[in-house]
Amino acid sequence: MGRSADIRPATGDDAGGIAIVHVASWQTAYRGLMPDHLLDGLSVESRANGWLQIISDPNGTGRTIVADRDGDIVGWASFGSGRDEGASDEGALWGLYVHPSAFATGVGHALISAAQRALREDGYACADLWVLDGNERAAEFSENHGWNEDGDVEVDERQTMRLLERRRVTSLI
């Protein structure tokens, strides 16, 4: 277990740190599952601009939390209401990523625990998340935290690739 991190709501000042984690974690977790040119072409600057808009949106429907270790963002989670058709009364974990340097240090556990607690406090009895097929680290992590596959799959067709995602669900009560 590494040094602990403070879990707190994201602010606009965190956009750059969130983007660094986003790009580094995608390049590590999805290598071999997505084309190298796509992963190598990810831009921290572009992601930071996108995150600044998301975090600063006064009409945003979700929340983003960060794991802050001594002023450095080492992970983040984004969550809110379900986005699947007919699932608006369910919560959803839209994304949870940890910088590769903080893998297996407890940061992911702290983030998913905080997100689940917040979703429960928001009145959701259950929640879902989607895991890219083949991402065994994420599948095992989510299963270890009580998120189990329910058999629903989604095919995401992007440019020159076809991605299969598997839904996982958990009870929040």
Side-chain angles (χ1 to χ4, degrees), residues 82-93 126-133 138-139 142-143 146-155 164-170:
R83 294 177 174 169
D84 297 336
E85 188 174 321
S88 61
D89 61 338
E90 298 174 2
L93 181 57
C126 61
D128 68 22
L129 64 83
W130 291 88
V131 175
L132 183 63
D133 193 42
S142 59
E143 190 169 311
W147 298 74
N148 299 302
E149 274 192 43
D150 71 350
D152 199 2
V153 297
E154 182 174 274
V155 176
L164 178 68
E165 295 177 295
R166 298 182 181 281
R167 187 169 71 173
R168 293 180 168 269
V169 297
T170 193

Side-chain angles (χ1 to χ4, degrees), residues 158-172:
R158 297 183 187 199
Q159 300 164 347
T160 61
M161 62 183 166
R162 187 173 187 262
L163 304 172
L164 178 68
E165 295 177 295
R166 298 182 181 281
R167 187 169 71 173
R168 293 180 168 269
V169 297
T170 193
S171 172
L172 298 170

Side-chain angles (χ1 to χ4, degrees), residues 1-5 17 20-29 67-69 72-75 97-108 137:
M1 211 48 95
R3 296 173 305 166
S4 65
I20 289 168
V21 170
H22 203 160
V23 169
S25 61
W26 269 51
Q27 289 174 334
T28 299
D68 181 329
R69 182 179 287 154
D72 292 324
I73 303 304
V74 294
Y97 292 93
V98 173
H99 194 278
S101 67
F103 283 177
T105 64
V107 169
R137 178 189 276 291

